[in-house]
């Protein structure tokens, strides 16, 4: 089927889909909730507006889509068929922004965990990762 949207329209659509309460983020939130952790969401006062914030523990979690954030996995290295250079630039910008945010958070004394979309299952493994991250002492 032909692509009826301009790249800009498509980007707007995608960014809407990617915004808050995306499915991967919900998976992580549900799991954390089940594990008994309390957290804040989308804290705009912190660099990059982290998805999940544990203020007391000074830890934040980003839940990232593999494609958008250029994860080094088979989902993150997909080459789009239409407008490849447009998408490459967008993804490069996103990646650079991510690096800036993580380093700003680290400088301010925050520990950062990135959960990738491709790591959501098996749940047991993700659950271990989350618990280890939140239990660690500084
Ligand atoms: Zn991935």
């Amino acid at each position: 089927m032909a692509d009826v949207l301009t790249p800009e329209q498509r980007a707007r659509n995608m960014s809407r889909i990617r915004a808050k309460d995306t499915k991967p983020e919900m998976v992580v939130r549900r799991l954390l909730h089940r594990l008994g952790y309390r957290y804040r969401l989308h804290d705009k006062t912190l660099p990059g507006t982290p998805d999940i914030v544990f203020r007391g523990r000074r830890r934040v979690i980003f839940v990232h889509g593999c494609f958008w954030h250029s994860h080094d996995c088979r989902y993150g290295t997909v080459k789009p068929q239409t407008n490849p250079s447009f998408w490459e630039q967008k993804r490069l910008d996103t990646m650079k922004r991510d690096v800036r945010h993580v380093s700003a958070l680290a400088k301010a004394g925050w520990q950062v965990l990135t959960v990738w979309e491709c790591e959501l299952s098996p749940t047991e493994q993700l659950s271990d990762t989350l618990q280890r991250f939140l239990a660690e002492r500084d």
Side-chain angles (χ1 to χ4, degrees):
M1 204 173 100
D3 197 345
V4 292
L5 299 177
T6 66
E8 291 72 24
Q9 287 171 324
R10 180 159 295 279
R12 248 199 316 276
N13 273 10
M14 299 285 247
S15 70
R16 202 151 35 204
I17 292 163
R18 168 176 60 138
K20 292 176 191 170
D21 302 334
T22 53
K23 194 167 167 279
E25 187 189 314
M26 290 307 291
V27 172
V28 177
R29 279 162 56 177
R30 265 198 300 273
L31 196 51
L32 286 166
H33 184 77
R34 216 181 307 146
L35 292 168
Y37 290 106
R38 299 181 58 84
Y39 46 81
R40 294 178 185 216
L41 299 172
H42 311 123
D43 190 337
K44 289 193 181 72
T45 65
L46 294 175
T49 313
D51 297 314
I52 304 171
V53 178
F54 303 85
R55 284 219 158 249
R57 297 167 199 268
R58 255 187 130 62
R59 281 168 170 74
V60 301
I61 297 177
F62 287 101
V63 185
H64 281 173
C66 296
F67 177 74
W68 279 106
H69 297 267
S70 307
H71 191 209
D72 185 20
C73 72
R74 68 193 170 104
Y75 308 103
T77 49
V78 170
K79 293 267 171 278
Q81 303 279 315
T82 50
N83 294 298
S85 57
F86 172 81
W87 294 115
E88 277 319 299
Q89 192 53 54
K90 277 202 80 72
R91 294 166 77 200
L92 200 64
D93 292 345
T94 302
M95 204 159 61
K96 284 187 198 153
R97 236 183 354 252
D98 291 344
V99 170
R100 263 205 315 278
H101 293 150
V102 170
S103 96
L105 284 162
K107 247 180 240 159
W110 292 83
Q111 306 225 20
V112 181
L113 174 72
T114 300
V115 175
W116 295 95
E117 198 178 356
C118 65
E119 298 170 340
L120 295 176
S121 68
T123 313
E124 297 72 30
Q125 202 172 311
L126 175 59
S127 171
D128 283 353
T129 304
L130 294 172
Q131 282 179 292
R132 235 178 300 125
F133 174 66
L134 292 168
E136 268 168 26
R137 295 280 144 245
D138 297 311

